[in-house]
Coordinates of all heavy atoms in Angstrom, one line a residue:
I30 N 0.9 -1.3 0.0 CA 0.0 0.0 0.0 C 0.9 1.3 0.1 O 1.8 1.3 0.8 CB -0.9 0.0 1.3 CG1 -1.7 -1.3 1.4 CG2 -1.8 1.3 1.3 CD1 -2.5 -1.5 2.6
A31 N 0.7 2.1 -0.9 CA 1.5 3.3 -1.0 C 0.8 4.5 -1.0 O -0.1 4.8 -1.7 CB 2.3 3.2 -2.2
F32 N 1.1 5.3 0.0 CA 0.5 6.7 0.2 C 1.4 7.7 -0.6 O 2.6 7.6 -0.6 CB 0.5 7.2 1.7 CG -0.6 6.6 2.5 CD1 -0.4 5.5 3.2 CD2 -1.8 7.2 2.5 CE1 -1.4 4.9 4.0 CE2 -2.8 6.7 3.3 CZ -2.6 5.6 4.1
A33 N 0.7 8.5 -1.6 CA 1.3 9.5 -2.3 C 1.9 10.5 -1.5 O 1.4 10.7 -0.3 CB 0.4 10.2 -3.2
S34 N 3.0 11.2 -1.9 CA 3.6 12.2 -1.1 C 2.6 13.4 -0.9 O 1.6 13.5 -1.8 CB 4.9 12.8 -1.8 OG 4.5 13.4 -3.1
R35 N 2.7 14.0 0.1 CA 1.7 15.1 0.5 C 0.3 14.5 0.8 O -0.7 15.3 0.7 CB 1.6 16.2 -0.5 CG 3.0 16.8 -0.8 CD 2.8 18.1 -1.6 NE 4.2 18.6 -2.1 CZ 5.0 19.3 -1.3 NH1 4.8 19.5 -0.1 NH2 6.1 19.7 -1.9
S36 N 0.2 13.2 1.2 CA -1.1 12.7 1.7 C -1.5 13.5 2.8 O -0.8 13.8 3.7 CB -1.0 11.2 1.9 OG -0.7 10.5 0.7
L37 N -2.9 13.5 3.1 CA -3.5 14.3 4.2 C -3.7 13.3 5.3 O -4.0 12.2 5.1 CB -4.8 15.0 3.6 CG -4.6 16.1 2.6 CD1 -6.0 16.5 2.3 CD2 -3.7 17.2 3.1
I38 N -3.6 13.8 6.5 CA -4.0 13.0 7.7 C -5.5 12.7 7.5 O -6.4 13.5 7.1 CB -3.8 13.7 9.0 CG1 -2.4 13.9 9.2 CG2 -4.5 13.0 10.1 CD1 -2.0 14.9 10.4
G39 N -5.8 11.4 7.7 CA -7.2 10.9 7.5 C -7.4 10.3 6.1 O -8.5 9.6 5.9
D40 N -6.4 10.4 5.2 CA -6.5 9.6 3.9 C -6.6 8.1 4.3 O -5.8 7.7 5.2 CB -5.3 10.0 3.0 CG -5.5 11.3 2.4 OD1 -6.5 12.1 2.6 OD2 -4.6 11.7 1.6
T41 N -7.3 7.4 3.5 CA -7.5 6.0 3.7 C -7.3 5.3 2.4 O -7.7 5.7 1.4 CB -8.8 5.7 4.2 OG1 -9.1 6.4 5.4 CG2 -8.9 4.1 4.4
L42 N -6.4 4.2 2.4 CA -6.2 3.3 1.2 C -6.6 1.9 1.7 O -6.4 1.5 2.8 CB -4.8 3.2 0.9 CG -4.1 4.6 0.3 CD1 -2.6 4.4 0.1 CD2 -4.8 5.1 -0.9
C43 N -7.2 1.3 0.8 CA -7.9 -0.1 1.1 C -7.3 -1.1 0.2 O -6.9 -0.8 -1.0 CB -9.3 0.0 0.9 SG -10.1 1.0 2.3
V44 N -7.2 -2.3 0.7 CA -6.8 -3.5 0.0 C -7.9 -4.5 0.1 O -8.4 -4.7 1.2 CB -5.4 -4.1 0.4 CG1 -5.1 -5.4 -0.2 CG2 -4.3 -3.1 0.3
S45 N -8.3 -5.2 -1.0 CA -9.2 -6.2 -1.0 C -8.6 -7.6 -0.7 O -7.7 -8.0 -1.4 CB -10.1 -6.2 -2.3 OG -10.8 -5.0 -2.3
I46 N -9.2 -8.4 0.1 CA -8.8 -9.7 0.4 C -9.9 -10.6 0.1 O -11.0 -10.5 0.7 CB -8.2 -9.9 1.9 CG1 -7.1 -9.0 2.2 CG2 -7.8 -11.3 2.1 CD1 -6.6 -9.0 3.6
S47 N -9.7 -11.4 -1.0 CA -10.8 -12.4 -1.3 C -11.0 -13.5 -0.3 O -10.0 -14.1 0.2 CB -10.7 -13.0 -2.6 OG -10.6 -11.9 -3.6
I48 N -12.2 -13.7 0.2 CA -12.6 -14.8 1.1 C -13.3 -15.9 0.2 O -14.2 -15.6 -0.5 CB -13.6 -14.5 2.2 CG1 -12.9 -13.3 3.0 CG2 -13.7 -15.7 3.1 CD1 -11.5 -13.5 3.5
I49 N -12.6 -17.1 0.2 CA -13.0 -18.1 -0.8 C -14.3 -18.8 -0.2 O -14.3 -19.3 1.0 CB -11.8 -19.2 -1.1 CG1 -10.6 -18.4 -1.7 CG2 -12.4 -20.3 -1.9 CD1 -9.5 -19.1 -1.8
N50 N -15.3 -19.0 -0.9 CA -16.5 -19.7 -0.6 C -16.4 -21.2 -1.1 O -16.5 -21.4 -2.3 CB -17.8 -19.1 -1.2 CG -19.0 -19.7 -0.7 OD1 -19.0 -20.4 0.3 ND2 -20.1 -19.4 -1.3
D51 N -16.3 -22.1 -0.1 CA -16.2 -23.4 -0.5 C -17.3 -24.3 0.1 O -18.2 -23.7 0.6 CB -14.9 -24.1 0.1 CG -14.7 -23.9 1.6 OD1 -15.7 -23.8 2.3 OD2 -13.5 -23.9 2.1
T52 N -17.4 -25.6 -0.2 CA -18.5 -26.4 0.3 C -18.1 -27.1 1.5 O -18.9 -28.0 2.0 CB -19.0 -27.3 -0.9 OG1 -17.9 -28.1 -1.3 CG2 -19.4 -26.5 -2.1
D53 N -17.0 -26.8 2.1 CA -16.6 -27.6 3.3 C -17.5 -27.0 4.5 O -17.8 -25.8 4.6 CB -15.1 -27.3 3.6 CG -14.2 -27.9 2.6 OD1 -14.7 -28.8 1.9 OD2 -13.2 -27.6 2.4
V54 N -17.8 -28.0 5.4 CA -18.5 -27.7 6.6 C -17.5 -27.4 7.7 O -16.8 -28.3 8.1 CB -19.5 -28.7 7.0 CG1 -20.2 -28.3 8.3 CG2 -20.6 -28.9 5.9
E55 N -17.2 -26.1 7.9 CA -16.1 -25.8 8.7 C -16.5 -25.1 10.0 O -17.5 -24.6 10.1 CB -15.2 -24.8 8.0 CG -14.8 -25.3 6.6 CD -14.2 -24.2 5.8 OE1 -14.9 -23.2 5.5 OE2 -12.9 -24.3 5.4
C56 N -15.6 -25.1 11.1 CA -15.7 -24.3 12.2 C -15.3 -22.9 11.7 O -14.8 -22.6 10.7 CB -14.8 -24.8 13.3 SG -15.2 -26.5 13.9
T57 N -15.6 -21.8 12.6 CA -15.1 -20.5 12.4 C -13.6 -20.5 12.1 O -12.8 -21.1 12.8 CB -15.6 -19.6 13.6 OG1 -17.0 -19.7 13.7 CG2 -15.2 -18.2 13.3
D58 N -13.2 -19.8 11.0 CA -11.8 -19.6 10.7 C -11.4 -18.3 11.0 O -12.2 -17.3 11.0 CB -11.7 -19.8 9.2 CG -11.8 -21.4 8.7 OD1 -11.3 -22.3 9.5 OD2 -12.2 -21.5 7.6
V59 N -10.0 -18.2 11.3 CA -9.4 -16.9 11.8 C -8.1 -16.7 11.2 O -7.4 -17.7 11.0 CB -9.2 -16.9 13.4 CG1 -8.6 -15.7 13.8 CG2 -10.6 -17.2 14.1
F60 N -7.8 -15.5 10.8 CA -6.6 -15.1 10.3 C -6.2 -13.7 10.7 O -7.1 -13.0 11.1 CB -6.3 -15.3 8.7 CG -7.1 -14.4 7.8 CD1 -6.5 -13.3 7.3 CD2 -8.4 -14.7 7.4 CE1 -7.1 -12.5 6.5 CE2 -9.1 -13.7 6.6 CZ -8.4 -12.6 6.1
S61 N -5.0 -13.3 10.5 CA -4.6 -11.9 10.9 C -4.1 -11.1 9.6 O -3.5 -11.7 8.7 CB -3.4 -12.0 11.9 OG -3.8 -12.6 13.1
V62 N -4.2 -9.8 9.9 CA -3.6 -8.9 8.8 C -2.7 -8.1 9.6 O -3.0 -7.7 10.9 CB -4.7 -8.1 8.1 CG1 -5.4 -9.0 7.1 CG2 -5.6 -7.3 8.9
S63 N -1.5 -7.7 9.1 CA -0.5 -7.0 9.8 C 0.2 -5.9 9.0 O 0.2 -6.0 7.7 CB 0.6 -7.8 10.3 OG 0.1 -8.9 11.1
L64 N 0.5 -4.8 9.6 CA 1.2 -3.7 9.0 C 2.7 -3.7 9.4 O 3.0 -3.8 10.6 CB 0.6 -2.3 9.3 CG -0.7 -2.0 8.6 CD1 -1.2 -0.7 9.2 CD2 -0.6 -1.9 7.1
T65 N 3.7 -3.5 8.5 CA 5.0 -3.3 8.7 C 5.5 -2.2 7.8 O 4.9 -2.0 6.8 CB 5.9 -4.5 8.6 OG1 5.7 -5.0 7.3 CG2 5.3 -5.6 9.7
T66 N 6.6 -1.7 8.1 CA 7.2 -0.7 7.2 C 8.8 -0.9 7.3 O 9.4 -1.2 8.3 CB 6.8 0.8 7.4 OG1 7.4 1.6 6.5 CG2 7.3 1.2 9.0
N67 N 9.5 -0.4 6.2 CA 10.9 -0.5 6.2 C 11.5 0.9 6.5 O 12.6 1.1 6.3 CB 11.5 -1.1 5.0 CG 11.0 -0.5 3.6 OD1 10.2 0.5 3.8 ND2 11.6 -0.8 2.6
L68 N 10.6 2.0 6.7 CA 11.0 3.3 6.8 C 11.1 3.6 8.3 O 10.1 3.5 9.0 CB 10.1 4.3 6.0 CG 10.1 4.1 4.6 CD1 9.0 4.8 3.9 CD2 11.4 4.2 3.9
S69 N 12.2 4.1 8.7 CA 12.3 4.6 10.2 C 11.5 5.7 10.6 O 11.2 5.9 11.8 CB 13.8 4.8 10.5 OG 14.2 5.9 9.7
K70 N 11.1 6.6 9.6 CA 10.3 7.8 10.0 C 8.8 7.5 9.9 O 8.0 8.3 10.1 CB 10.7 9.0 9.1 CG 12.0 9.4 9.1 CD 12.3 10.1 10.4 CE 13.7 10.6 10.5 NZ 13.9 11.4 11.7
V71 N 8.4 6.3 9.6 CA 7.0 5.9 9.5 C 6.8 5.0 10.9 O 7.4 3.9 11.0 CB 6.6 5.1 8.4 CG1 5.2 4.6 8.4 CG2 7.0 6.0 7.1
L72 N 6.0 5.5 11.8 CA 5.6 4.8 12.9 C 4.2 4.2 12.9 O 3.3 4.8 12.4 CB 5.7 5.8 14.1 CG 7.0 6.4 14.4 CD1 6.9 7.4 15.4 CD2 8.1 5.4 14.6
I73 N 4.2 2.9 13.2 CA 2.9 2.3 13.3 C 2.5 1.9 14.8 O 3.3 1.1 15.4 CB 2.8 0.9 12.5 CG1 3.2 1.2 11.0 CG2 1.4 0.3 12.5 CD1 3.4 0.1 10.2
P74 N 1.6 2.6 15.4 CA 1.4 2.3 16.9 C 1.0 0.7 17.0 O 0.5 0.1 16.3 CB 0.1 3.2 17.1 CG 0.1 4.2 16.1 CD 0.7 3.5 14.8
S75 N 1.4 0.3 18.2 CA 1.3 -1.1 18.5 C -0.1 -1.6 18.4 O -0.4 -2.7 18.0 CB 1.9 -1.5 19.8 OG 1.3 -0.8 20.9
D76 N -1.1 -0.7 18.7 CA -2.5 -1.1 18.7 C -3.1 -1.1 17.3 O -4.3 -1.4 17.1 CB -3.3 -0.3 19.7 CG -3.3 1.1 19.4 OD1 -2.5 1.7 18.6 OD2 -4.2 1.8 20.0
A77 N -2.2 -0.6 16.4 CA -2.8 -0.6 15.0 C -2.0 -1.4 14.0 O -2.0 -1.3 12.8 CB -2.7 0.9 14.5
Q78 N -1.1 -2.4 14.6 CA -0.2 -3.3 13.7 C -0.9 -4.5 13.2 O -0.6 -5.0 12.1 CB 1.0 -3.5 14.5 CG 2.0 -2.4 14.7 CD 3.1 -2.8 15.7 OE1 3.3 -4.0 16.0 NE2 4.0 -1.8 15.9
T79 N -1.8 -5.0 14.0 CA -2.3 -6.3 13.7 C -3.8 -6.3 13.9 O -4.2 -5.8 15.0 CB -1.7 -7.4 14.4 OG1 -0.2 -7.4 14.3 CG2 -2.2 -8.8 14.2
A80 N -4.5 -6.9 13.0 CA -6.0 -7.2 13.3 C -6.3 -8.6 13.0 O -5.8 -9.2 12.2 CB -6.8 -6.2 12.4
S81 N -7.2 -9.1 13.8 CA -7.7 -10.5 13.6 C -9.0 -10.4 12.8 O -9.7 -9.5 12.9 CB -8.1 -11.0 14.9 OG -8.6 -12.4 14.8
V82 N -9.1 -11.3 11.8 CA -10.3 -11.4 11.0 C -10.9 -12.8 11.3 O -10.2 -13.9 11.2 CB -9.8 -11.4 9.5 CG1 -11.0 -11.6 8.5 CG2 -9.1 -10.1 9.2
T83 N -12.1 -12.8 11.5 CA -13.0 -14.1 11.7 C -13.9 -14.3 10.5 O -14.7 -13.4 10.1 CB -13.9 -13.9 13.0 OG1 -13.0 -13.6 14.1 CG2 -14.6 -15.1 13.2
I84 N -13.7 -15.5 9.9 CA -14.7 -15.9 8.8 C -15.7 -16.7 9.4 O -15.5 -17.8 9.9 CB -13.8 -16.6 7.8 CG1 -12.7 -15.9 7.2 CG2 -14.9 -17.1 6.5 CD1 -11.8 -16.6 6.3
E85 N -16.9 -16.2 9.4 CA -18.0 -16.9 10.0 C -18.4 -18.1 9.1 O -18.2 -18.1 7.9 CB -19.2 -16.0 10.1 CG -19.0 -14.7 11.0 CD -18.9 -15.1 12.5 OE1 -19.3 -16.2 12.9 OE2 -18.2 -14.4 13.1
T86 N -19.0 -19.1 9.7 CA -19.4 -20.3 8.9 C -20.6 -19.9 8.0 O -21.4 -19.2 8.3 CB -19.9 -21.3 9.9 OG1 -20.9 -21.0 10.7 CG2 -18.7 -21.9 10.8
D87 N -20.6 -20.7 6.9 CA -21.6 -20.4 5.8 C -22.8 -21.3 6.3 O -22.7 -22.5 6.5 CB -21.1 -21.0 4.5 CG -21.9 -20.7 3.4 OD1 -23.2 -20.4 3.6 OD2 -21.6 -20.8 2.2
Q88 N -23.9 -20.6 6.5 CA -25.1 -21.2 7.0 C -25.7 -22.3 6.0 O -26.5 -23.1 6.4 CB -26.2 -20.1 7.3 CG -25.7 -19.2 8.4 CD -25.4 -19.9 9.6 OE1 -26.0 -20.8 10.2 NE2 -24.2 -19.5 10.3
D89 N -25.2 -22.2 4.8 CA -25.7 -23.2 3.8 C -25.0 -24.5 3.9 O -25.5 -25.6 3.4 CB -25.6 -22.7 2.3 CG -26.5 -21.5 2.1 OD1 -27.5 -21.4 2.7 OD2 -26.2 -20.6 1.3
D90 N -23.8 -24.5 4.6 CA -23.0 -25.7 4.7 C -23.4 -26.5 5.9 O -23.4 -25.9 7.1 CB -21.6 -25.4 4.8 CG -21.0 -24.9 3.6 OD1 -21.6 -25.0 2.5 OD2 -20.0 -24.2 3.6
V91 N -24.1 -27.7 5.8 CA -24.8 -28.3 6.8 C -24.4 -29.8 6.9 O -24.3 -30.4 5.7 CB -26.3 -28.2 6.8 CG1 -26.9 -29.1 7.8 CG2 -26.7 -26.8 6.8
V92 N -24.1 -30.4 8.0 CA -24.0 -31.8 8.1 C -25.1 -32.3 9.1 O -25.3 -31.6 10.2 CB -22.7 -32.2 8.9 CG1 -22.6 -33.6 9.3 CG2 -21.5 -31.8 7.9
Q93 N -25.8 -33.3 8.7 CA -26.9 -33.9 9.6 C -26.4 -35.1 10.2 O -25.7 -36.0 9.6 CB -28.0 -34.2 8.7 CG -28.9 -33.1 8.2 CD -30.1 -33.6 7.5 OE1 -30.4 -34.7 7.3 NE2 -30.8 -32.5 7.1
I94 N -26.5 -35.3 11.5 CA -26.1 -36.4 12.3 C -27.3 -36.9 13.0 O -28.3 -36.3 13.3 CB -24.9 -36.2 13.2 CG1 -25.2 -35.1 14.2 CG2 -23.7 -35.8 12.5 CD1 -24.2 -34.9 15.3
G95 N -27.3 -38.2 13.3 CA -28.6 -38.7 14.1 C -28.2 -40.1 14.6 O -27.2 -40.7 14.3
L96 N -29.1 -40.6 15.5 CA -28.9 -41.9 16.0 C -29.2 -42.9 14.8 O -29.9 -42.7 13.9 CB -29.9 -42.2 17.1 CG -29.8 -41.4 18.3 CD1 -31.0 -41.6 19.3 CD2 -28.5 -41.6 19.0
D97 N -28.4 -44.1 15.0 CA -28.5 -45.1 13.8 C -29.8 -45.9 13.8 O -30.0 -46.6 13.0 CB -27.2 -45.9 13.9 CG -27.3 -46.8 15.1 OD1 -27.8 -46.5 16.2 OD2 -26.6 -47.8 15.1
A98 N -30.6 -45.7 14.9 CA -31.9 -46.5 14.9 C -32.9 -45.6 15.7 O -32.6 -44.8 16.5 CB -31.7 -47.7 15.6
N99 N -34.2 -45.9 15.4 CA -35.2 -45.3 16.2 C -35.6 -46.0 17.5 O -36.2 -45.4 18.4 CB -36.6 -45.2 15.3 CG -36.3 -44.3 14.2 OD1 -35.7 -43.2 14.3 ND2 -37.0 -44.5 13.1
S100 N -35.3 -47.2 17.6 CA -35.5 -48.0 18.8 C -34.4 -49.1 18.9 O -33.9 -49.5 18.0 CB -36.9 -48.5 18.9 OG -37.1 -49.5 17.8
Y101 N -34.1 -49.5 20.2 CA -33.2 -50.5 20.4 C -33.8 -51.5 21.5 O -34.6 -51.3 22.3 CB -31.9 -49.9 21.1 CG -31.2 -48.9 20.3 CD1 -31.6 -47.5 20.5 CD2 -30.2 -49.2 19.5 CE1 -31.1 -46.5 19.8 CE2 -29.6 -48.2 18.8 CZ -30.0 -46.8 18.9 OH -29.3 -45.9 18.1
N102 N -33.4 -52.8 21.3 CA -33.8 -53.9 22.1 C -32.6 -54.6 22.8 O -31.6 -54.7 22.1 CB -34.6 -55.0 21.5 CG -35.9 -54.4 21.0 OD1 -36.6 -53.8 21.7 ND2 -36.4 -54.8 19.8
T103 N -32.6 -54.8 24.0 CA -31.5 -55.5 24.8 C -32.0 -56.3 25.8 O -33.2 -56.3 26.2 CB -30.4 -54.5 25.3 OG1 -29.3 -55.0 25.7 CG2 -31.1 -53.5 26.4
S104 N -31.2 -57.1 26.4 CA -31.5 -58.0 27.5 C -30.8 -57.5 28.9 O -29.8 -56.9 28.8 CB -31.0 -59.5 27.3 OG -31.7 -60.0 26.2
E105 N -31.5 -57.9 30.1 CA -30.8 -57.4 31.3 C -29.5 -58.1 31.4 O -29.2 -59.3 31.0 CB -31.7 -57.8 32.5 CG -32.9 -57.0 32.6 CD -33.7 -57.3 33.9 OE1 -33.4 -58.3 34.6 OE2 -34.6 -56.5 34.3
G106 N -28.6 -57.4 31.8 CA -27.1 -58.0 32.0 C -26.3 -57.8 30.8 O -25.1 -58.0 30.7
G107 N -26.9 -57.2 29.7 CA -26.3 -57.0 28.4 C -25.7 -55.6 28.3 O -25.8 -54.8 29.3
V108 N -25.1 -55.3 27.2 CA -24.5 -54.0 27.0 C -25.1 -53.6 25.7 O -25.2 -54.2 24.6 CB -23.0 -54.1 26.8 CG1 -22.5 -52.8 26.3 CG2 -22.3 -54.6 28.1
L109 N -25.7 -52.3 25.7 CA -26.3 -51.8 24.5 C -25.3 -50.8 23.8 O -24.7 -49.8 24.5 CB -27.5 -50.9 24.9 CG -28.4 -50.3 23.8 CD1 -28.8 -51.3 22.7 CD2 -29.4 -49.4 24.4
S110 N -25.1 -50.9 22.5 CA -24.3 -50.0 21.7 C -25.3 -48.9 21.0 O -26.1 -49.4 20.2 CB -23.4 -50.6 20.7 OG -22.3 -51.4 21.4
V111 N -25.2 -47.7 21.3 CA -26.0 -46.7 20.7 C -25.1 -45.9 19.8 O -24.0 -45.5 20.3 CB -26.8 -45.8 21.7 CG1 -27.4 -44.7 20.9 CG2 -27.7 -46.5 22.6
C112 N -25.2 -45.8 18.5 CA -24.3 -45.2 17.5 C -24.9 -44.0 16.9 O -26.1 -43.9 16.7 CB -24.0 -46.2 16.4 SG -23.2 -47.7 17.0
V113 N -24.0 -43.0 16.6 CA -24.5 -41.8 15.9 C -23.8 -41.9 14.5 O -22.6 -42.2 14.3 CB -23.9 -40.5 16.6 CG1 -24.2 -39.3 15.8 CG2 -24.5 -40.5 18.1
D114 N -24.6 -41.7 13.5 CA -24.3 -41.7 12.1 C -24.2 -40.2 11.5 O -25.1 -39.4 11.9 CB -25.2 -42.5 11.3 CG -25.2 -43.9 11.5 OD1 -24.2 -44.4 12.0 OD2 -26.2 -44.7 11.1
K115 N -23.4 -40.1 10.7 CA -23.3 -38.9 9.7 C -24.3 -39.2 8.6 O -24.1 -40.1 7.8 CB -21.9 -38.4 9.1 CG -21.9 -37.3 8.4 CD -20.5 -36.9 8.0 CE -20.3 -36.8 6.6 NZ -19.0 -36.4 6.2
I116 N -25.5 -38.6 8.5 CA -26.5 -38.9 7.7 C -26.3 -38.3 6.3 O -26.4 -38.9 5.2 CB -27.8 -38.5 8.2 CG1 -28.2 -39.3 9.5 CG2 -29.0 -38.7 7.3 CD1 -29.3 -38.6 10.3
S117 N -25.9 -36.9 6.2 CA -25.8 -36.2 5.0 C -25.0 -35.1 5.2 O -24.9 -34.6 6.4 CB -27.1 -36.0 4.2 OG -27.8 -35.0 5.0
A118 N -24.4 -34.6 4.2 CA -23.6 -33.2 4.3 C -23.7 -32.5 3.0 O -23.7 -33.1 1.8 CB -22.2 -33.6 4.6
T119 N -23.6 -31.2 3.1 CA -23.5 -30.4 1.8 C -22.1 -30.2 1.5 O -21.8 -29.7 0.4 CB -24.2 -29.0 1.9 OG1 -23.6 -28.4 3.0 CG2 -25.7 -29.1 2.1
G120 N -21.2 -30.7 2.2 CA -19.7 -30.5 2.1 C -18.9 -31.5 2.9 O -19.6 -32.3 3.6
T121 N -17.6 -31.3 3.0 CA -16.7 -32.2 3.7 C -16.7 -31.5 5.1 O -16.5 -30.3 5.3 CB -15.4 -32.2 3.0 OG1 -15.5 -32.7 1.8 CG2 -14.4 -33.0 3.9
L122 N -16.9 -32.4 6.2 CA -16.7 -31.9 7.5 C -15.1 -31.7 7.9 O -14.4 -32.5 7.8 CB -17.3 -33.0 8.5 CG -17.3 -32.7 9.9 CD1 -18.2 -31.4 10.1 CD2 -17.8 -33.7 10.8
E123 N -15.0 -30.3 8.1 CA -13.5 -29.9 8.3 C -13.1 -29.6 9.8 O -12.2 -29.0 10.0 CB -13.2 -28.7 7.5 CG -13.3 -29.0 6.0 CD -12.2 -29.9 5.6 OE1 -11.1 -29.8 6.0 OE2 -12.4 -30.5 4.5
C124 N -14.0 -29.9 10.8 CA -13.8 -29.6 12.1 C -14.3 -30.7 13.0 O -15.2 -31.5 12.5 CB -14.2 -28.3 12.6 SG -16.0 -28.0 12.5
N125 N -13.9 -30.7 14.2 CA -14.4 -31.8 15.2 C -15.8 -31.3 15.6 O -16.0 -30.1 15.8 CB -13.5 -32.0 16.4 CG -12.1 -32.5 16.0 OD1 -12.1 -33.4 15.0 ND2 -11.2 -32.2 16.7
V126 N -16.7 -32.3 15.8 CA -18.0 -32.0 16.3 C -18.3 -32.8 17.5 O -18.0 -34.1 17.5 CB -19.0 -32.3 15.1 CG1 -20.4 -32.1 15.6 CG2 -18.8 -31.3 13.9
S127 N -18.9 -32.2 18.5 CA -19.2 -33.0 19.6 C -20.7 -33.0 19.8 O -21.4 -32.0 19.5 CB -18.6 -32.3 20.9 OG -17.2 -32.4 20.9
V128 N -21.3 -34.1 20.2 CA -22.7 -34.2 20.7 C -22.8 -34.6 21.9 O -22.0 -35.4 22.5 CB -23.5 -35.0 19.5 CG1 -23.5 -34.3 18.2 CG2 -23.0 -36.5 19.5
I129 N -24.0 -34.4 22.6 CA -24.2 -34.9 23.9 C -25.2 -35.9 23.9 O -26.5 -35.7 23.3 CB -24.7 -33.7 24.8 CG1 -23.5 -32.6 25.0 CG2 -25.0 -34.2 26.2 CD1 -23.9 -31.4 25.6
L130 N -25.0 -37.2 24.3 CA -26.0 -38.1 24.5 C -26.6 -38.3 25.9 O -25.7 -38.3 26.8 CB -25.3 -39.6 24.1 CG -26.3 -40.8 24.1 CD1 -27.2 -40.7 23.0 CD2 -25.5 -42.0 24.1
S131 N -27.8 -38.1 26.0 CA -28.4 -38.1 27.4 C -29.5 -39.2 27.4 O -30.1 -39.5 26.4 CB -28.9 -36.7 27.8 OG -29.9 -36.4 26.8
T132 N -29.9 -39.5 28.5 CA -30.9 -40.5 28.8 C -32.1 -39.9 29.5 O -31.8 -38.9 30.2 CB -30.5 -41.8 29.4 OG1 -30.1 -41.5 30.7 CG2 -29.4 -42.5 28.7
S133 N -33.3 -40.4 29.4 CA -34.4 -40.0 30.3 C -35.2 -41.3 30.7 O -35.4 -42.2 29.9 CB -35.3 -39.0 29.7 OG -35.8 -39.4 28.5
D134 N -35.6 -41.4 31.9 CA -36.2 -42.6 32.4 C -37.6 -42.7 31.8 O -38.4 -41.6 31.5 CB -36.4 -42.5 34.0 CG -35.0 -42.7 34.7 OD1 -34.1 -42.9 34.0 OD2 -35.1 -42.2 35.9
G135 N -37.9 -44.0 31.5 CA -39.3 -44.4 31.2 C -39.8 -45.3 32.4 O -39.7 -44.8 33.5
S136 N -40.1 -46.4 32.1 CA -40.3 -47.4 33.2 C -39.0 -47.9 33.7 O -39.0 -48.4 34.9 CB -41.2 -48.5 32.7 OG -40.6 -49.3 31.7
A137 N -38.0 -47.8 33.0 CA -36.6 -48.1 33.6 C -35.9 -46.9 34.3 O -36.2 -45.8 33.8 CB -35.7 -48.5 32.5
T138 N -35.2 -47.1 35.4 CA -34.8 -46.1 36.2 C -33.2 -46.0 36.0 O -32.6 -47.1 36.3 CB -35.1 -46.3 37.5 OG1 -36.5 -46.3 37.7 CG2 -34.7 -45.1 38.4
S139 N -32.6 -44.9 35.7 CA -31.2 -44.8 35.6 C -30.5 -45.1 37.0 O -31.0 -44.7 38.2 CB -30.9 -43.3 35.3 OG -29.5 -43.1 35.2
G140 N -29.4 -45.8 37.0 CA -28.8 -46.3 38.2 C -29.3 -47.5 38.8 O -28.6 -48.2 39.5
Q141 N -30.6 -47.9 38.4 CA -31.2 -49.1 38.9 C -31.3 -50.2 37.8 O -31.0 -51.4 37.9 CB -32.5 -48.9 39.6 CG -32.5 -48.1 40.8 CD -33.8 -47.9 41.4 OE1 -34.9 -48.0 40.6 NE2 -33.9 -47.4 42.6
D142 N -31.7 -49.6 36.6 CA -31.9 -50.5 35.5 C -30.9 -50.3 34.3 O -30.7 -51.3 33.6 CB -33.4 -50.3 34.8 CG -34.5 -50.7 36.0 OD1 -34.4 -51.7 36.4 OD2 -35.3 -49.7 36.2
Y143 N -30.3 -49.2 34.3 CA -29.2 -48.9 33.3 C -28.4 -47.8 33.7 O -28.7 -47.1 34.7 CB -29.9 -48.4 32.0 CG -30.6 -47.1 32.0 CD1 -29.9 -46.0 31.6 CD2 -32.0 -47.1 32.4 CE1 -30.6 -44.8 31.8 CE2 -32.6 -45.9 32.6 CZ -31.9 -44.7 32.1 OH -32.6 -43.4 32.1
G144 N -27.2 -47.6 33.1 CA -26.3 -46.6 33.4 C -25.3 -46.4 32.4 O -25.0 -47.3 31.6
M145 N -24.8 -45.2 32.3 CA -23.8 -44.7 31.3 C -22.4 -44.6 32.0 O -22.3 -44.1 33.0 CB -24.2 -43.6 30.5 CG -25.3 -43.8 29.6 SD -25.6 -42.6 28.3 CE -25.2 -41.0 29.0

């Protein structure tokens, strides 16, 4: 970025940075922009040297996940495996995703009839 000689205080020059729209299902991305100079008479205050840029996730990129079955059967004394499947996606999953599996009592009681 080059300011012309005799530039006035308050003059602004801008540079465009293209943000690429992909089909990946991503977490929020972050990068930095920084200013430096090789001229000793040009000072850049420390609070104006670096800025963080956050690229928000594209709301059109979606991954659907769900339980692998609508109901399960097991026997007392057994072990039940409940699985989560990636059902569909509009792109490639590019970040770790966590889900919470919880239970709620019906006629079976947590701690007496089952436990995680």
